[in-house]
């Protein structure tokens, strides 16, 4: 009986497969002769067709864009599972591939539709998919994608029409990973928290100088990730992937910039990916991120093929390295949550060591450097019919620029709702105070701060600041949250809440209100008081005169002078310039806070 049932199933499966193969499975891109990329509706239609003939595919929505479009994702699991728990239980690792975060850069979408089709229709990669399941976002920035046209990428060689770089709110999603202002990124974080993929690929097209490589790439191996994961990327993934990309006809090079804009011979500079960027952000979450950047001047077809190969080889290496990667990730998560991690200093900002470089061979093209008689500026022109290999200095050593000691936990007062919301969005673990709590914490008191003149990503970033650290008793109201650093997402947490964190909430202006003086003293009230203060505190006159002598702006402003006296009176706002996030640094205090919590 069982045998008969099984045979019938095979027959059904066979008929089904034949039917699938008989259909025209060309993608929109292929049907166009490899020059055009499909719109949102067409892309989703093709995915639905694949879904309708394959039990291995499932699709879903992870949220809505600002204009109300569905943010779609596709799962390919060879057993048809569609939850991370089922997939992990089946022993597979999860690869997240994302396309069209910058919709004008659509190679990832076209490459992945073909890759999925090859697997669904021809079972081309069964051996890889027994080890790895795929989550694919065909179009991340859907609103930008539908701002479709032929004139969206002036530097780029195809496709014939394409989407626009930013969202409908004119935000660049690839600057939004940490601050998560856009509804699209907030939705993405939800997807990432749910799936917690083991490896992430973000597909792009780069502008910049011309060279021979169809594709460059970035991975975070400069020391900003945990040691074991860095080693795995450096020793297991990259050499194997680079070698196979070369064998497949797509030699690759790290995504670097020239020391001097457009000038290869000036040398190459590497960097640490900021957490506002995709691969920089996943690095904070202990997940390797591979940034793919095809080159804008190469034909679209070549760029799509390189992207498809890059993802396939990633699948291949993950299938071979599954156990090693899982082990490295688990160790990195455990270490980040450990006491040992808290006890070492955490680097919040890196800088490049411009005194130390290695020589590398760079496959560039001949170029000319002239002075423009139109603008008077420097003009570099490239001749890609003359490939040339340069021996160049690569500056890839990274040094810590700012470091801090992590506390046991942070406390976010209940009224700082936007900061609490960010902690939640990133899936960081916390608990809420059920009652008022007064505890000793460390606080940053700012002594100086300024902002950039022009907006960046819809915000005026902090341009410079100085602070001192002080210990004080603070009362937090019920509903305030305590966020322990003893968790796998401690790196994300530190970047959000430490003022020095690259891409911190402070840097993006989320706490600007505390830098506003809200009460003022009238001059006819303050002046007699200032005179009294000078008479009764002898040292004050000396300090006042010193300030007059050293600060010409102060000497000229009667307002600033009276405010200087106001600052020393009991009427002065004690919360002015004080960063509202508290740092619980004493273990005993943290223990006490924990003990006061109801059992969770
Ligand atoms: Zn891009």
């Amino acid at each position: 009986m069982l045998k008969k049932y099984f045979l019938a199933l095979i027959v059904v499966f066979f008929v089904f497969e034949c039917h699938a193969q008989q259909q025209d499975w060309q993608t929109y891109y292929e049907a166009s002769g490899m020059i055009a990329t499909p719109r949102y509706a067409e892309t989703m239609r093709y995915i639905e067709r694949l879904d309708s003939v394959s039990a291995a595919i499932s699709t879903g929505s992870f949220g809505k864009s600002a204009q109300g479009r569905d943010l779609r994702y596709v799962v390919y699991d060879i057993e048809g599972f569609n939850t991370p728990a089922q997939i992990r239980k089946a022993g597979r690792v999860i690869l997240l591939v994302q396309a069209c975060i910058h919709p004008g850069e659509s190679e990832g979408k076209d490459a992945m539709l073909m890759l999925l089709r090859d697997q669904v229709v021809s079972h081309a990669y069964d051996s890889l998919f027994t080890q790895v399941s795929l989550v694919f976002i065909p179009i991340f920035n859907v609103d930008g994608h539908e701002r479709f046209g032929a004139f969206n990428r002036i530097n780029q060689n195809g496709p014939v029409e394409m989407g626009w770089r930013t969202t409908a709110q004119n935000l660049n999603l690839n600057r939004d990973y940490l601050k998560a202002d856009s509804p699209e990124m907030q939705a993405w974080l939800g997807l990432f928290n749910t799936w917690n993929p083991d490896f992430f690929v973000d597909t792009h097209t780069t502008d910049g100088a011309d060279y021979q490589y169809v594709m460059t790439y970035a991975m975070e191996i400069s020391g900003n990730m945990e040691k074991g994961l860095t080693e795995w990327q450096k020793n297991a993934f990259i050499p194997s992937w680079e070698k196979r990309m070369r064998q497949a006809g797509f030699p690759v090079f790290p995504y670097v910039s020239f020391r001097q804009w457009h000038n290869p011979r000036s040398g190459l500079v590497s960097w640490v990916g900021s957490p506002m960027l995709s691969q920089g952000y996943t690095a904070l979450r202990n997940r390797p991120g591979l940034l793919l950047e095809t080159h804008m001047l190469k034909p679209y077809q070549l760029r799509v093929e390189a992207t498809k190969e890059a993802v396939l080889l990633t699948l291949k290496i993950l299938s071979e390295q599954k156990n090693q990667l899982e082990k490295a990730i688990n160790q990195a998560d455990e270490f980040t949550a450990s006491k040992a991690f808290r006890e070492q200093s955490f680097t919040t900002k890196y800088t490049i060591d411009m005194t130390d470089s290695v020589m590398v061979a760079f496959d560039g093209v001949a170029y000319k450097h002239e002075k423009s008689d139109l603008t008077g500026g420097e003009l570099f022109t490239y001749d890609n019919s003359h490939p040339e290999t340069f021996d160049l200095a690569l500056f890839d050593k990274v040094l810590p620029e700012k470091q801090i000691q992590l506390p046991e936990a942070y406390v976010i007062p209940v009224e700082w709702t936007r900061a609490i919301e960010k902690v939640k969005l990133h899936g960081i673990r916390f608990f809420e105070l059920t009652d008022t709590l007064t505890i000793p914490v460390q606080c940053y008191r700012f002594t100086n701060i300024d902002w950039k003149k022009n907006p960046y990503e819809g915000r005026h970033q902090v341009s410079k600041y100085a602070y001192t650290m002080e210990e004080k008793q603070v009362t937090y109201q019920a509903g305030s949250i305590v966020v322990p650093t003893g968790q796998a997402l401690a790196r994300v947490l530190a970047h959000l809440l430490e003022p020095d964190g690259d891409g911190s909430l402070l840097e993006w202006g989320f706490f600007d209100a505390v830098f506003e003086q809200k009460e003022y003293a009238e001059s006819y009230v303050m002046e007699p008081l200032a005179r009294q203060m000078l008479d009764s505190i002898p040292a004050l006159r000396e300090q006042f005169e010193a300030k007059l002598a050293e600060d010409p702006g102060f000497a000229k402003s009667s307002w600033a002078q009276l405010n200087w006296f106001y600052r020393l009176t009991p009427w002065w706002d004690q919360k002015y310039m004080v960063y509202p996030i508290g740092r619980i640094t004493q273990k005993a205090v943290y223990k006490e806070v924990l003990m006061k919590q109801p059992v969770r």
Side-chain angles (χ1 to χ4, degrees):
M1 181 64 195
L2 195 66
K3 208 172 174 185
K4 212 166 139 192
Y5 176 65
F6 186 66
L7 271 174
L9 247 184
I10 285 183
V11 170
V12 168
F13 184 70
F14 184 72
V15 171
F16 197 56
E17 286 286 298
C18 285
H19 178 67
Q21 276 166 14
Q22 278 156 13
Q23 288 185 41
D24 178 10
W25 281 106
Q26 272 202 323
T27 66
Y28 182 92
Y29 154 80
E30 288 169 310
S32 77
M34 328 294 176
I35 58 165
T37 194
R39 297 288 293 260
Y40 175 79
E42 174 59 35
T43 306
M44 300 314 155
R45 206 156 34 234
Y46 191 82
I47 288 168
E48 277 152 28
R49 274 185 67 204
L50 289 174
D51 187 16
S52 71
V53 298
S54 170
I57 286 205
S58 41
T59 64
S61 161
F62 62 97
K64 292 255 188 224
S65 69
Q67 290 184 331
R69 291 187 178 87
D70 246 338
L71 300 166
R72 308 285 299 170
Y73 70 99
V74 188
V75 180
Y76 186 92
D77 177 80
I78 202 153
E79 288 182 85
F81 294 140
N82 60 4
T83 69
Q86 289 171 312
I87 290 171
R88 292 230 154 79
K89 202 171 161 211
R92 281 185 283 283
V93 287
I94 297 166
L95 166 67
L96 172 64
V97 179
Q98 162 177 298
C100 296
I101 183 171
H102 294 150
E105 309 167 11
S106 50
E107 294 91 328
K109 176 183 56 178
D110 288 315
M112 292 302 290
L113 290 184
M114 292 193 292
L115 191 151
L116 277 171
R117 183 264 327 269
D118 294 349
Q119 173 58 17
V120 166
V121 178
S122 320
H123 288 276
Y125 316 117
D126 271 357
S127 63
L128 310 182
F129 282 109
T130 53
Q131 310 298 323
V132 187
S133 294
L134 173 74
V135 180
F136 171 50
I137 302 173
I139 305 171
F140 181 13
N141 175 7
V142 290
D143 294 346
H145 189 272
E146 292 308 282
R147 188 176 161 183
F148 210 71
F151 305 103
N152 282 342
R153 296 273 293 169
I154 188 171
N155 303 312
Q156 197 169 293
N157 182 10
V160 285
E161 287 186 291
M162 64 200 67
W164 181 255
R165 182 176 187 79
T166 54
T167 66
Q169 296 171 319
N170 208 26
L171 295 177
N172 181 346
L173 290 179
N174 208 20
R175 305 293 180 268
D176 200 30
Y177 277 89
L178 203 59
K179 68 178 167 59
D181 273 334
S182 65
E184 292 86 354
M185 188 53 71
Q186 294 176 3
W188 187 96
L189 289 172
L191 177 92
F192 204 93
N193 292 337
T194 304
W195 285 87
N196 219 356
D198 302 280
F199 197 99
F200 170 66
V201 178
D202 192 17
T203 59
H204 290 254
T205 318
T206 187
D207 294 340
D210 200 5
Y211 41 70
Q212 293 175 47
Y213 307 101
V214 175
M215 179 177 274
T216 53
Y217 75 93
M219 283 192 101
E220 295 305 311
I221 52 168
S222 301
N224 55 332
M225 285 182 80
E226 189 268 340
K227 209 165 150 249
L229 263 180
T230 306
E231 295 297 310
W232 181 83
Q233 294 179 84
K234 240 174 154 167
N235 303 329
F237 185 84
I238 292 177
S240 170
W241 183 78
E242 273 196 350
K243 186 175 159 207
R244 294 185 213 194
M245 281 297 282
R246 200 178 320 117
Q247 285 166 350
F250 301 107
V252 291
F253 197 83
Y255 187 49
V256 291
S257 46
F258 297 144
R259 209 173 159 191
Q260 197 183 77
W261 193 246
H262 286 174
N263 185 4
R265 285 194 180 85
S266 64
L268 306 167
V269 184
S270 170
W271 65 79
V272 164
S274 161
M276 69 177 173
L277 306 170
S278 61
Q279 84 282 8
Y281 176 70
T282 60
L284 291 187
R285 299 189 61 133
N286 297 328
R287 297 298 182 275
L290 172 63
L291 173 80
L292 300 179
E293 294 276 0
T294 65
H295 191 262
M296 62 180 190
L297 293 178
K298 305 294 181 287
Y300 189 58
Q301 183 178 356
L302 209 55
R303 281 154 41 207
V304 172
E305 282 167 10
T307 304
K308 188 177 176 216
E309 195 62 38
V311 175
L312 261 182
L313 291 177
T314 301
L315 270 169
K316 197 166 271 176
I317 297 169
L318 293 188
S319 74
E320 295 161 2
Q321 287 282 321
K322 185 175 79 84
N323 297 336
Q324 292 89 328
L325 173 60
E326 274 178 329
K327 196 172 152 210
I329 284 175
N330 289 339
Q331 277 177 0
D333 279 351
E334 271 167 36
F335 175 69
T336 310
S338 75
K339 197 167 138 229
F341 179 68
R342 275 199 301 289
E343 281 170 354
Q344 67 182 29
S345 36
F346 179 70
T347 304
T348 47
K349 279 197 181 86
Y350 291 90
T351 182
I352 306 295
D353 183 356
M354 294 308 288
T355 64
D356 195 1
S357 62
V358 285
M359 292 308 285
V360 292
F362 179 77
D363 294 335
V365 296
Y367 67 99
K368 264 195 320 202
H369 173 207
E370 303 160 296
K371 198 153 187 92
S372 160
D373 59 8
L374 177 68
T375 67
E378 311 253 6
L379 182 64
F380 287 84
T381 46
Y382 304 90
D383 175 6
N384 57 25
S385 60
H386 286 92
E388 218 177 290
T389 297
F390 306 109
D391 285 321
L392 300 177
L394 168 65
F395 296 86
D396 66 346
K397 308 279 183 315
V398 160
L399 300 171
E401 188 188 341
K402 285 196 174 167
Q403 293 189 307
I404 46 120
Q405 209 67 45
L406 292 185
E408 294 290 315
Y410 295 95
V411 195
I412 309 182
V414 62
E415 62 274 19
W416 289 93
T417 47
R418 286 191 303 171
I420 293 176
E421 179 200 329
K422 299 301 168 191
V423 165
K424 289 179 182 170
L425 280 169
H426 287 276
I428 295 168
R429 187 168 53 81
F430 64 90
F431 59 86
E432 217 172 272
L433 296 180
T434 50
D435 211 342
T436 314
L437 177 74
T438 303
I439 43 164
V441 291
Q442 258 186 2
C443 285
Y444 290 96
R445 181 181 288 279
F446 284 75
T447 52
N448 190 7
I449 188 156
D450 210 346
W451 290 265
K452 291 182 184 169
K453 182 175 164 282
N454 293 321
Y456 181 58
E457 292 306 313
R459 296 184 162 276
H460 289 268
Q461 286 176 299
V462 166
S463 58
K464 62 166 193 188
Y465 60 84
Y467 57 70
T468 55
M469 189 84 98
E470 49 191 57
E471 307 274 342
K472 54 184 197 169
Q473 288 286 121
V474 178
T475 300
Y476 295 98
Q477 301 303 316
S480 300
I481 67 166
V482 177
V483 199
T485 50
Q487 57 178 311
L489 292 177
R491 294 163 198 261
V492 180
L493 175 64
H495 271 270
L496 280 174
L497 297 187
E498 284 297 334
D500 285 343
D502 184 4
S504 70
L505 294 180
L506 178 112
E507 193 178 284
W508 284 110
F510 282 87
F511 293 101
D512 280 359
V514 303
F515 304 112
E516 295 172 29
Q517 187 182 335
K518 301 289 194 176
E519 282 284 353
Y520 297 89
E522 293 294 352
S523 53
Y524 59 86
V525 173
M526 198 59 232
E527 182 146 343
L529 191 57
R531 286 179 199 281
Q532 275 178 27
M533 288 164 76
L534 285 172
D535 289 344
S536 55
I537 316 166
L540 201 57
R541 184 171 295 276
E542 223 170 275
Q543 286 173 25
F544 180 56
E545 276 162 10
K547 179 84 179 154
L548 285 170
E550 80 191 15
D551 186 344
F554 183 74
K556 264 190 252 164
S557 165
S558 59
W559 185 88
Q561 291 170 37
L562 288 180
N563 207 44
W564 186 83
F565 285 101
Y566 174 32
R567 187 182 55 98
L568 300 171
T569 71
W571 286 277
W572 183 254
D573 177 8
Q574 293 308 309
K575 286 189 167 182
Y576 174 56
M577 299 280 265
V578 175
Y579 186 56
I581 311 289
R583 290 164 43 99
I584 304 178
T585 54
Q586 301 172 39
K587 280 191 185 72
V589 172
Y590 182 53
K591 257 190 199 151
E592 199 187 313
V593 172
L594 282 181
M595 266 157 48
K596 281 186 186 156
Q597 281 311 296
V599 180
R600 293 184 305 279

